[in-house]
Amino acid sequence: MSLKKKLIVLNTTIMLGLGSAFAIPSVKAESITDIQSQRTGIQSDISEAEQVIQQLKKEQSKMNAQIAQIESAMKENDQKIKNTKQEIKDTEKDIESLKKEIKALEERIAKREEVLKERALSFQESGGDVEYLEVVLGSKSFGEFVNRVGAVATIVEADQQILSEQEADKADLEKKQATVEKKLQSLKDMEVELKGMQSQIEDQKAETVNMKAKIEKKESETEALKQSLENKDAGLEAQIASIRENIKKEEERKASEKADLDRVAEEVNSSSASSEGSSSSSSEESSSSSKGEASASGSSKAESSSNSSKDSSAAKPAASKTETSSKPSSANTGSAITAGYKYIGNSSYKFGGGRTASDIANGLFDCSAFVAWAYKQAGVNLPASTDALKGAGRQVSDSQKQPGDLVFFNTYKTDGHVGIYVGGGKFIGSQSSTGVAIANMDSGYWAGVYNGRVVRVN
């Protein structure tokens, strides 16, 4: 093939290479736009969820205040019931004491009646009117007896004091009894009312507690929804970071490819110029030489052309070798990162899990098994233990970590946890508290236990 044709082919290859270099980032840029559009919708949902949570917190605060008021009322009511029961006991004691007083008073009244009868008998024996004795002995009741005795003029003055005392004692007794019975009835009525009030307050508290539980459940569900949305948003963010990283690597590869093509073109141009000079020199010599010399010169040209072809053929494998060496060793990291997205919010941590088909189907992983499974989806076989994963590649500094690198944490032991770095200070892994999730390693718990070990998979 002539040098001119080689240049045409070479230029065509360069244009095709440059075209693909611009076309691939354009397609990926469209993917980023779509993902960012999804993130906008998710972030809007997160904002709405936060507003709902804030409203629920306000309602919960009101419920807590109501419960506090109800509990305070119940406490006061309990004390009132307690006090009322004590008053009832005290009043019942008063009644018992009063009954004893009534009995003693009745005994005194009976004794006074005997004294009056004895006086009447004594009066009759001393020559008194027989009709008076009949009046006294013929009485059918104490009231009638008092009325009849009061009619007897001869003993009015002597027995007036006794009669007055009996009437006073009787009136006082009736008054005390009425007062105590009224108080007792009032206390019993109060106790019934307080018990009814307490039952009503307890019902109100039960209803408020039930409402609070519903609000807490709704808040918990909203928090879970928010967390799920944040996980999805983080997953999309990680996808964008991965796509950008791939675009960057693709651009670097294409730039290296273009540099190789430019170098080959320069070598061909240089070889062409050298051949043209040699051809011109041979023509001048042939005009002053014999036909035999011209023939020799022709043979020399053929040999020169053959050598040029060999040089050009040798240059092409060199370009191909350079292109191969420029490819990044972590070309499949994007697939390893995105493989686990389907398990976010849909998995559980299981110590020793992720090593059987059943565990994988049900999203049951421990940290190292998840990393091994994710890379297997990208066509890379890794061991399923944290100690072995430390030697699954070359260690790089924390400042040089890239998406796809393995990051280690000192949890229950040194390097006790491992995950896959996704960019933006976050990693994806199977955590004991969340199952498969994307977590922030720049702040919070994971920032405190991150030990700086970064392994780049070979």
Side-chain angles (χ1 to χ4, degrees):
M1 183 184 289
S2 67
L3 291 175
K4 189 172 183 181
K5 288 182 178 179
K6 289 181 181 177
L7 287 173
I8 293 172
V9 171
L10 187 61
N11 288 332
T12 302
T13 304
I14 292 172
M15 292 305 295
L16 289 173
L18 290 175
S20 63
F22 288 107
I24 292 174
S26 175
V27 171
K28 291 183 177 178
E30 290 177 2
S31 299
I32 290 175
T33 301
D34 292 340
I35 295 172
Q36 286 177 334
S37 177
Q38 293 179 44
R39 287 191 68 196
T40 300
I42 290 174
Q43 288 169 354
S44 175
D45 292 340
I46 291 173
S47 178
E48 290 179 5
E50 287 175 345
Q51 292 176 3
V52 172
I53 290 170
Q54 291 301 318
Q55 183 61 35
L56 290 173
K57 286 186 181 296
K58 289 180 181 179
E59 293 180 16
Q60 188 176 358
S61 179
K62 290 180 181 179
M63 291 295 102
N64 287 334
Q66 288 182 12
I67 290 173
Q69 290 177 349
I70 290 171
E71 288 176 345
S72 177
M74 288 180 67
K75 187 176 180 180
E76 292 178 4
N77 208 57
D78 281 336
Q79 189 61 43
K80 286 181 181 179
I81 291 174
K82 186 177 179 180
N83 293 341
T84 301
K85 287 181 177 179
Q86 186 59 46
E87 287 187 35
I88 289 173
K89 288 181 180 179
D90 294 341
T91 304
E92 288 175 344
K93 287 181 181 179
D94 291 342
I95 290 175
E96 289 298 322
S97 178
L98 191 59
K99 286 180 178 179
K100 291 180 181 179
E101 290 182 14
I102 291 172
K103 186 176 181 181
L105 185 58
E106 288 175 345
E107 290 175 354
R108 289 200 299 271
I109 291 173
K111 287 180 180 179
R112 286 169 183 163
E113 288 180 353
E114 291 298 325
V115 170
L116 291 173
K117 287 180 180 179
E118 288 177 1
R119 286 183 179 177
L121 288 172
S122 177
F123 179 76
Q124 190 270 339
E125 289 175 355
S126 63
D129 190 353
V130 177
E131 291 180 356
Y132 172 75
L133 182 59
E134 291 177 355
V135 168
V136 174
L137 297 178
S139 60
K140 296 179 180 179
S141 66
F142 175 72
E144 185 180 357
F145 171 79
V146 172
N147 291 333
R148 290 185 179 187
V149 171
V152 180
T154 56
I155 60 172
V156 168
E157 185 176 349
D159 297 333
Q160 188 65 44
Q161 185 176 355
I162 294 175
L163 293 172
S164 297
E165 289 175 357
Q166 286 193 175
E167 290 294 334
D169 286 345
K170 184 179 179 181
D172 184 53
L173 185 63
E174 291 175 349
K175 183 178 179 181
K176 283 183 180 180
Q177 189 172 2
T179 301
V180 173
E181 288 177 351
K182 183 178 180 181
K183 181 180 179 181
L184 180 61
Q185 187 60 46
S186 176
L187 289 171
K188 287 183 177 181
D189 291 343
M190 183 184 293
E191 182 183 18
V192 172
E193 184 177 352
L194 289 171
K195 286 182 177 178
M197 186 185 300
Q198 190 76 342
S199 177
Q200 182 180 357
I201 292 173
E202 287 173 354
D203 290 343
Q204 187 178 357
K205 180 184 178 181
E207 183 179 353
T208 306
V209 169
N210 186 40
M211 288 176 62
K212 181 185 176 184
K214 289 180 179 179
I215 291 173
E216 288 175 345
K217 182 181 179 183
K218 189 174 180 181
E219 182 180 353
S220 176
E221 290 173 351
T222 308
E223 286 281 7
L225 173 62
K226 179 188 171 187
Q227 184 63 47
S228 175
L229 291 171
E230 288 176 344
N231 286 341
K232 288 181 181 178
D233 183 56
L236 293 174
E237 184 181 5
Q239 285 186 41
I240 291 174
S242 178
I243 291 172
R244 284 175 174 165
E245 184 66 21
N246 288 337
I247 289 174
K248 181 181 176 182
K249 289 178 180 178
E250 186 70 18
E251 289 174 344
E252 289 174 352
R253 189 181 70 80
K254 290 299 180 182
S256 176
E257 211 173 72
K258 182 178 179 300
D260 291 340
L261 292 172
D262 288 343
R263 180 178 56 77
V264 172
E266 186 178 350
E267 290 176 357
V268 171
N269 286 333
S270 188
S271 177
S272 175
S274 175
S275 295
E276 287 175 1
S278 175
S279 176
S280 176
S281 176
S282 297
S283 296
E284 290 174 359
E285 290 177 0
S286 64
S287 62
S288 59
S289 302
S290 63
K291 290 181 180 180
E293 291 174 344
S295 177
S297 177
S299 298
S300 176
K301 284 182 181 180
E303 184 178 352
S304 175
S305 176
S306 176
N307 290 337
S308 296
S309 297
K310 289 179 181 179
D311 291 342
S312 177
S313 298
K316 288 182 180 179
S320 177
K321 184 176 181 182
T322 304
E323 179 180 347
T324 301
S325 64
S326 67
K327 290 182 180 179
S329 61
S330 56
N332 293 328
T333 56
S335 299
I337 292 171
T338 56
Y341 288 165
K342 68 178 182 178
Y343 286 118
I344 292 177
N346 188 32
S347 64
S348 299
Y349 180 89
K350 178 184 177 182
F351 187 81
R355 292 163 176 81
T356 65
S358 176
D359 282 352
I360 293 170
N362 291 285
L364 303 175
F365 295 95
D366 63 13
C367 61
S368 55
F370 171 75
V371 170
W373 174 85
Y375 261 97
K376 189 172 183 180
Q377 309 315 299
V380 179
N381 290 322
L382 294 180
S385 72
T386 52
D387 289 338
L389 286 171
K390 289 189 292 184
R394 63 186 179 90
Q395 188 161 328
V396 299
S397 66
D398 174 68
S399 61
Q400 293 178 329
K401 66 179 178 289
Q402 299 175 359
D405 291 344
L406 307 185
V407 286
F408 292 79
F409 305 84
N410 295 341
T411 50
Y412 67 98
K413 68 173 185 177
T414 301
D415 298 319
H417 188 70
V418 64
I420 303 173
Y421 186 65
V422 299
K426 297 179 180 179
F427 75 97
I428 185 170
S430 180
Q431 281 68 259
S432 59
S433 58
T434 60
V436 176
I438 292 174
N440 192 336
M441 56 188 289
D442 283 347
S443 63
Y445 171 77
W446 294 110
V449 297
Y450 173 53
N451 62 18
R453 185 188 298 277
V454 180
V455 173
R456 185 156 298 158
V457 177
N458 293 327

